[in-house]
Structures are given as structure tokens and as C-alpha cells.
Amino acid sequence: MSSPTGPSTRNTFLGMPAVPPRSPYGTGHLRGERAFPEAAQDELGNEQLRRNLGRATHSIRAKRLALTGELPDWEQLRDAGSAIKTDTMNRLPELLEQLEQKVTEHGGTVHWARDGVEANEIVARLVKNTGSDEVIKVKSMATQETGLNEHLASEGITAHETDLAELIVQLADDRPSHILVPAIHRNRDEIREIFLKEIPGIDPGLDTVPAHLAAAARAYLREKFMTTRVAVSGANFGIAETGTLSVVESEGNGRMCLTLPETLITVMGIEKVLPRFQDLEVFLQLLPRSSTGERMNPYTSMWTGVTPGDGPQDFHLVLLDNGRTAALADRIGREALHCIRCSACLNVCPVYERTGGHAYGSTYPGPIGAVLTPQLAGMHGAGDDPNSSLPYASSLCGACFDACPVKIDIPSLLVELRHQHTEESGSTAEGLAMKAAAAVMKRPKLFTAAQKAAGLGRVLAGRDGTLSRLPAPFDGWSDSRDTPAPPKQSFRSWLASPEGAATMRAAAAEGAPHTDDAPEAP
Amino acid sequence: MRIGLFATCLGDTLFPEAVKSTAVLLARLGHDVVFPPEQTCCGQMHVNTGYQREPVPLVRNFAEQFGDPSIEAVVMPSGSCAGSVRHQHEIVAERYGDAALRTGVAAVKAKTYELSEFLVDVLDAADVGAYFPHRVTYHPTCHSLRMLRVGEKPLRLLRAVDGIDLVELPEADACCGFGGTFAVKNAATSSAMLRDKMDHITGTGADVCTAGDSSCLMHIGGGLSRIRSGTRTLHLAQILAATRTSPHVLTEAAR
Ligand code: SF4
């Protein structure tokens, strides 16, 4: 077991890490302050949030189903996506080196960042080298994960988010709660309030018509696009074969960032590489349909190194590990790395729908976040690390698996991760209870005795035959559910009783061929 | 056919009527129902909560109890327990078992069925001769739906029930929020999911909400009882076993 601050995963032998390092504790946004059940409690109490989330997820869900349903080869596409990802993970080092070589050949510079801290330092240094103290940003999960904006601010550099939803979150000094729709938890009235308060010189008569809100943001962003010389982006895909990077988006603000500035710095998680250009064919069908429920996203930008006289003349690619190699070394983590961040699993998840993204405490919320976050950043200690609560933040209903375009079996991964967690936590009260339960259940005589003892619970039941208050840790259960008192007789004792035997004989007799029912001969 | 009945630990202890109905139904359909007496629990709760060592003896016991080759099919009134036997026993045996256990698990897995699957797929019996003159709505539990893919099978059986007024449940495939220990560990989130499920159920005006899992029904029924909704929960087997002459569900043993 490793302590939260302990570098125990970094024991060195001949300069090589014994185990690939996870994302360092206490940096970036891969860990919340509180365990999931506690953080969820607040969100559950927020009626507005639940209405906003419910409405948004239901409408995206319906759109996604309609559009995946219209492709006759949708299942084959999912299989293809899954197969390409498996192949990618199997030869990730080789593909990354190929990507580096191709990017360099085309005039770009590749940087390798072991963790978020390194990535942030590299980006800050690159920005400083340009002499600029401002950057514009295309929505990027990787830099959200590393906490780049905060780091840049500490270095005197201002980062402007240009994705509309990300801008709303940034202006409100809030955190994104969805990987694709960061402001999913906000409604139009709230957005209007935020704009009125935070955008200098805005028309005080602004109303809540979506087009007017978008226009206000556009006017604000236009000025940033025209005056800022450095941009930071993420990448949805990096093609090893050609060195091409790609960003897909809806608003075109990303394209402005990718083409207008002089310097472009892209931070990409190492798992985002794809072997061949042709592979985009599969993912550009899977991604928009799964994420926004669109046949095609409005803007797909691709760039390969630099092109003299066109677009940024200085291009840097920062390849981010931050726990990904550690995940790759793990059977669960490796499958989780297949994720293309489409957010389909969030949109169908009944838990996410009720709690929103903040309860997960991580840049990656929802079902895949519950797997990926502990894989990237670890679950330290016996249970006091909030990340330890994430594998349990699921009812294992399986809706996420059905929705995932690359067929990640999230429920099975969660069950495995729970196992990993209990194995690492040593002896706990729950573990002892599980052992005790198994000890009773493996001995039929003890089990039968326990059933008889359970029958005594009847004396505790109210007149309606139910138990309405249970002791801890079941008090949460009994807050909203009655529990039936155990019946007088278990099934097995009924079956062994004269009544049981008689009932079964009678049923068998009913089933026996009824000769008297046979049609009479004429 | 010689059928091994698995009562499930929850069914045996807390919901015997569902198991009795299963036994009676199968016997009435002309089959030889046997109850291996040393059976206990499939170990699903352990595995789902993150414990895979502890249930090894349970998995072994299950494989031994139902391993008898004269048992042609193992049937249980629970989608999630069938899911556990089919998908989790292998994992446990691979990790902590020996070769004998792996062989035993594979043999039992191949003949394990949830009740509605068994009736429709194996017996090809859509109409089991049931009579149930009540307004009923059906909740497809997650493990039946997505682990076993029972699909329309339970509905086919219900549609054939004489006298039934079967009403569709809005957003039927949404999880009820049970999830085993999830309902205890994340009680508040689970309750929020339950509230929506209950709204949909009561909105149908059904007298009875049915499903193929006593565990989910315990959760839903516990909620419906708490709000005094007047809608009761009954296991699918109880509806299918009810006939004009022996309406079992209506003479349910007093608790
Ligand atoms: S796990 Fe699958 S469904 Fe969820 S975001 Fe990733 S690719 Fe999309």
C-alpha cells in the first residue's frame, strides 16, 4: 500500500522505474476532495442541477439512438473501432515513435511529458519563449487533467478558453461537469447571469435567446482570436503513419485557434494515437454519432507539422503520459485507454444523470471516469482516497457498455477494479463481513441455521410485516425503503414439509397427461 | 426433463413464494424438479462488491451441487444470479480455482438458465396456462436485460397470461437503482433512481409491478411500500404460476 505522498511506486533500480508511475498525488484534476457518496449528496439536493442534467442527457440519448440506429453496419463499426484500439495499445511505443518521427519530418517539435507537472512546465516555457503572456485554448481534456490553466496563471500567463461551454465554465470560475458539454449543469438563465457579470462591456439588455447568448460570446472571443499569438489545443487523434493531428468540434472556435495564431502547442495523451490515416474513417463515424448524436461534427481540423505561409509557423506536440503507461501495464487500464471520450457512457448513465460530473471529482466523470481516474492517478490507502470510492459509484446496470462505440465493458472493469481495491486495502470491516458471509454460505447447515435466525427478525417487524428502520450501515437503505420481515418458512423448509411435498405432487399431477382431456372418439 | 432448481440465497430466505411458484410451474409443465439440498448462494454479492477469493467455496459448492450429469438444466428465478453463474464463476475459477473447478464451472454454466429464458428458449412454451386478472407492468432488470439479453421473452410470457391487463412501463430499461451493495454504499443516489422508477410505475396505474429478480423487487417494493402507493411487487414466476384453480399469488403465506 502506498501513502498519498509516498514515492513508493518510483523505487528505482538502475535508473528504471520498478512500476510505471501514476499521475503524482495532489497535482492536476484527477482527484476530488471528497468521496463520491458524500460529494453526490450535495448534487442530489440541487433540484435545478438535476432538471438541467435530466433534460440534457435525455435529449442527447434520443438523438444518439436515432443516428446509430440508421447505420446498418453500426455493430461492425464498433467492432472495427475496438479492434483498431486493441492493435494500437499492443504496439503503443512503436506507434508513438513513428508519430514523433513524422511530426518532426514535417517541421513540428515533439516533447515528452512524464506527468502533468512536466507537461505544464513545457507549455509554460514554450509560451514564454514567444514573448506572449496570453494564450487561446481549444477545449482540451488533457490540459484540464493537468491543470494547465492554473499553472499558466501562476506563471503570469492568461489562458482564454474559446469553446463556448468551456468559456462559460471558466467565466463562472466553475469546473466542467461533462467531458463534451462542460456546462451541461447550467441553464440559459444562469449563463446570461454569468455573461452579464464577467464579460466587460456587454449589452446589459442581453436576453436568454440562445442565439443572442452565442453572439455575445462570439463578439468577446473574436477580439481574442485576432490579438492572441499563441494557441493551446488538445487532439482527438494523432496519426502515426502521417504525423497528422486532428481536432473535431462543433463551433469553429477551435478552427480559429488552430489556424490564426503564430504558435500552436498541442497536448495529447499518448493513447490518442492511431496507426493509419485510414483509421479515421472508422472513428469519424463512431465519435460524432456517439457523442452529440450528429452524423458528422461541423468542424474537423487536421494539420501535419507546419506549412510555410499557411497557419501557425511554429508547432509543438506535447505527448502526455501522466499515468497512462501505468494503465497500459494493467489489464483493466489497458482496456480503459481505448476510450475516445465521446461521452456516450455519461449520457446513458443513471448515476451520472442524478449526480452530475462534479461528484466524481475528476476531469473524467461518469462510468469511464470511474475506471480511468483510479487507473491514471491510483487509489491510495485503504479507502480515504476519494478515488477509492469511484469504482463503487455504479449500480452495474450495463447501459454504458451498450452505448460505448469501442465496446469497453465498463461494468466488468469496475468489478475488477473493486477487486483490486479490496485486495490492496488489507483487512477492513467490510472484508471481514464478506468473509463471515461466505463462511456461513459455504456450509449448508450453517446457512439453514442462519435462515432460521433471520426468521426471528419477524419480531422486530411492524404490524404491516415490514422493517422500517435498519441499523448502520444499512440506515441509508432504510431511509427510503421498507424491508419485508423474513417469512415464517424458508423455501427449503417449506419444500421439506408435508405441505410442500403435497403441493409439488399436486402440481406434477396437473402436469401429467390428462387422459380425460383427450378428445372423445366420435 | 430433469431440472435442478436453484432457489438463490435471497429467494430461499426472504422470497420463498417466488421460488415455490417456480417449482410448481416447472412441475406443472411436466418436468422433474430436483432441489440439491446443499445449495446456498452463487456468490454474486461477493464478486460485485470486489471480493473474488471469498466466494471460491460458494462457486465450488454450486458446481458440485448442480454438476450431476442427470440434471439436464439448472433453472433459477433470478437474472442476476444466472448472470453471475454464466459470467462470474469462470472469472473466479480462473483466478483462484484449480483445474477441476474450472471444468466443473464450465459444465454447469452450459446448462444454466434464468426462468424466462428456460421457458421460451428451451421449453418453447410462450403460454404456460396462467390466469392473472390484474393490471400489471413489467420492469426488465438490468442483468436480465444486458447480461443475459432476455429481451422480449418475459413479455411474451406475460402477454399470453389469461385475463392480464399488461401496461407498458415508461423508460422501462432504466436501472431501478438497486445494484446490490450500491444501494447501501450510495444510498442517496440509489434512492434518487428509485424515486423516478416509482413515478413511472405508479403512473401506469398498475396493481402489480413484476420482474425477474427478487432483489430489484425488494428494492422497488420497499420503496412503494414506504410511500404507501398501493402498487405491490410480485416475481414473474408468481404470475406465471397462478391459474384459475390455484391462484398461488393470491393466497400468499402470511409473513
Ligand atoms: S468509455 Fe466508451 S462511451 Fe464512454 S466516453 Fe469512452 S468511448 Fe465514449
Side-chain angles (χ1 to χ4, degrees), chain B residues 64-146:
Chain B
E64 280 169 8
Q65 290 299 305
F66 293 99
D68 177 351
S70 78
I71 293 178
E72 293 163 86
V74 183
V75 177
M76 57 200 75
S78 164
S80 66
C81 298
S84 174
V85 173
R86 289 231 286 259
H87 299 283
Q88 298 184 330
H89 282 198
E90 224 163 19
I91 297 171
V92 170
E94 279 295 325
R95 188 167 275 156
Y96 296 115
D98 45 33
L101 182 58
R102 288 196 285 276
T103 316
V105 159
V108 175
K109 169 186 168 167
K111 58 179 180 182
T112 290
Y113 302 92
E114 176 270 345
L115 178 62
S116 73
E117 283 180 323
F118 181 72
L119 293 173
V120 174
D121 289 349
V122 181
L123 299 187
D124 199 15
D127 185 347
V128 293
Y131 170 71
F132 192 73
H134 301 276
R135 176 175 272 220
V136 175
T137 195
Y138 168 72
H139 165 64
T141 61
C142 297
H143 288 175
S144 297
L145 194 68
R146 302 198 185 86

Side-chain angles (χ1 to χ4, degrees), chain A residues 354 392 397 402 416 418-419 422-423 430 434 441 451 458 468 478 480-482 485 491-492 511, chain B residues 12-13 28 39-40 46 48 50-51 53 95-96 146 149 185-186 190-191 196 219 222 225-226 255:
Chain A
R354 304 321 188 288
Y392 301 92
C397 82
D402 278 6
E416 284 295 313
R418 291 174 184 187
H419 176 63
T422 61
E423 287 285 293
E430 181 189 273
M434 286 289 163
M441 284 165 167
Q451 283 181 323
R458 297 165 52 74
S468 55
S478 62
S480 53
R481 309 153 189 93
D482 290 336
F491 169 75
R492 66 183 64 203
Chain B
D12 190 1
T13 312
R28 190 186 288 146
Q39 62 173 283
T40 58
H46 288 87
N48 281 350
Y51 297 85
R53 282 173 200 278
R95 188 167 275 156
Y96 296 115
R146 302 198 185 86
R149 306 273 171 205
K185 284 177 188 275
N186 284 283
S190 163
S191 296
D196 292 345
H219 170 75
S225 153
R226 177 61 57 89
R255 284 190 175 269

Side-chain angles (χ1 to χ4, degrees), chain A residues 118-422:
Chain A
E118 263 188 24
N120 290 347
E121 281 165 2
I122 293 168
V123 176
R125 180 165 45 78
L126 291 171
V127 178
K128 280 188 181 161
N129 287 349
T130 68
S132 175
D133 61 358
E134 272 188 311
V135 298
I136 45 176
K137 286 186 70 202
V138 201
K139 181 168 120 47
S140 143
M141 301 306 295
T143 61
Q144 177 63 37
E145 168 187 330
T146 66
L148 177 66
N149 290 8
E150 292 88 333
H151 178 75
L152 290 180
S154 75
E155 297 273 336
I157 301 165
T158 311
H160 303 285
E161 293 291 349
T162 66
D163 173 85
L164 180 53
E166 199 76 46
L167 173 70
I168 294 166
V169 170
Q170 190 183 35
L171 289 176
D173 204 14
D174 194 357
R175 285 174 75 172
S177 71
H178 188 278
I179 62 181
L180 201 90
V181 197
I184 195 168
H185 55 303
R186 299 286 193 173
N187 66 18
R188 284 191 256 157
D189 296 316
E190 293 172 287
I191 293 166
R192 173 175 168 272
E193 291 299 318
I194 295 166
F195 281 6
L196 284 179
K197 214 164 112 224
E198 301 295 334
I199 298 183
I202 198 164
D203 172 10
L206 179 67
D207 57 26
T208 59
V209 176
H212 298 168
L213 291 170
R218 180 178 297 132
Y220 172 74
L221 288 171
R222 261 303 130 93
E223 194 225 310
K224 301 288 174 209
F225 289 133
M226 304 316 289
T227 55
T228 313
R229 303 195 325 269
V230 185
V232 175
S233 89
N236 290 95
F237 309 105
I239 311 295
E241 180 185 51
T242 58
T244 304
L245 280 300
S246 175
V247 162
V248 299
E249 40 127 11
S250 301
E251 295 163 5
N253 290 336
R255 173 159 296 177
M256 304 280 258
C257 295
L258 296 163
T259 50
L260 287 174
E262 291 156 19
T263 300
L264 173 60
I265 305 163
T266 298
V267 183
M268 180 183 105
I270 54 172
E271 83 282 18
K272 294 281 179 107
V273 69
L274 289 178
R276 304 166 307 165
F277 197 81
Q278 202 191 326
D279 298 328
L280 283 175
E281 171 200 335
V282 172
F283 291 99
L284 290 180
Q285 293 185 75
L286 288 176
L287 183 56
R289 284 178 195 258
S290 303
S291 55
T292 46
E294 293 171 297
R295 292 192 179 87
M296 190 74 223
N297 48 285
Y299 293 86
T300 301
S301 301
M302 296 192 214
W303 67 101
T304 310
V306 293
T307 308
D310 183 18
Q313 296 300 296
D314 190 17
F315 170 61
H316 297 268
L317 174 63
V318 182
L319 291 171
L320 175 71
D321 186 325
N322 207 29
R324 287 165 174 78
T325 310
L328 190 69
D330 183 288
R331 201 182 65 71
I332 306 167
R334 177 171 284 225
E335 212 181 319
L337 290 181
H338 290 194
C339 174
I340 58 173
R341 315 279 190 267
C342 73
S343 75
C345 60
L346 277 66
N347 297 333
V348 299
C349 176
V351 173
Y352 177 89
E353 184 189 332
R354 304 321 188 288
T355 64
H358 292 165
Y360 297 79
S362 162
T363 298
Y364 305 109
I368 189 61
V371 178
L372 198 55
T373 300
Q375 276 296 326
L376 294 179
M379 299 179 282
H380 300 268
D384 43 6
D385 177 355
N387 277 0
S388 305
S389 67
L390 293 181
Y392 301 92
S394 164
S395 65
L396 304 178
C397 82
C400 48
F401 183 20
D402 278 6
C404 178
V406 290
K407 292 198 169 172
I408 302 176
D409 182 355
I410 300 174
S412 296
L413 296 187
L414 285 168
V415 166
E416 284 295 313
L417 208 52
R418 291 174 184 187
H419 176 63
Q420 222 173 64
H421 177 245
T422 61

Side-chain angles (χ1 to χ4, degrees), chain A residues 36-37 40-41 44 50 58 61 331 350-351 353-355 389 392-399 401-402 415-416 418-420 422-423 428 430-431 433-435 437-438 440-444 447 451 454 458 464-469 473-474 476-495 499 503-504 507-508 510-512, chain B residues 5 7 9 11-16 19-20 23-25 27-30 33 35 37-41 45-55 57-58 61 88 91 95-96 142-143 146 149 171 175 177-179 181-198 215 218-219 221-223 225-226 228 243 245-246 248 254-255:
Chain A
F36 183 86
Q41 193 92 43
L44 286 165
R50 286 193 41 205
H58 276 81
R61 250 184 245 178
R331 201 182 65 71
V351 173
E353 184 189 332
R354 304 321 188 288
T355 64
S389 67
Y392 301 92
S394 164
S395 65
L396 304 178
C397 82
F401 183 20
D402 278 6
V415 166
E416 284 295 313
R418 291 174 184 187
H419 176 63
Q420 222 173 64
T422 61
E423 287 285 293
T428 61
E430 181 189 273
M434 286 289 163
K435 275 204 177 67
V440 170
M441 284 165 167
K442 78 177 178 196
R443 310 254 295 279
F447 180 63
Q451 283 181 323
R458 297 165 52 74
D464 56 354
T466 65
L467 301 155
S468 55
R469 278 246 61 84
F474 303 104
W477 162 275
S478 62
D479 276 349
S480 53
R481 309 153 189 93
D482 290 336
T483 310
K488 283 191 196 121
Q489 232 181 0
S490 66
F491 169 75
R492 66 183 64 203
S493 49
W494 172 82
L495 190 65
E499 186 208 332
T503 308
M504 288 304 287
E510 273 183 68
Chain B
L5 174 66
C9 62
D12 190 1
T13 312
L14 271 185
F15 299 98
V19 194
K20 287 182 203 173
V24 165
L25 176 62
R28 190 186 288 146
L29 291 171
V33 180
F35 183 80
E38 309 265 279
Q39 62 173 283
T40 58
C41 165
M45 175 187 72
H46 288 87
V47 177
N48 281 350
T49 313
Y51 297 85
Q52 293 186 16
R53 282 173 200 278
E54 289 72 9
L58 307 184
N61 185 43
Q88 298 184 330
I91 297 171
R95 188 167 275 156
Y96 296 115
C142 297
H143 288 175
R146 302 198 185 86
R149 306 273 171 205
E171 295 194 31
C175 176
F178 177 60
T181 43
F182 172 78
V184 175
K185 284 177 188 275
N186 284 283
T189 308
S190 163
S191 296
M193 291 158 72
L194 173 61
R195 271 201 298 281
D196 292 345
K197 180 58 72 181
M198 291 196 300
S215 52
M218 172 175 73
H219 170 75
S225 153
R226 177 61 57 89
R228 303 184 190 286
T243 62
T245 47
S246 51
H248 278 269
R255 284 190 175 269

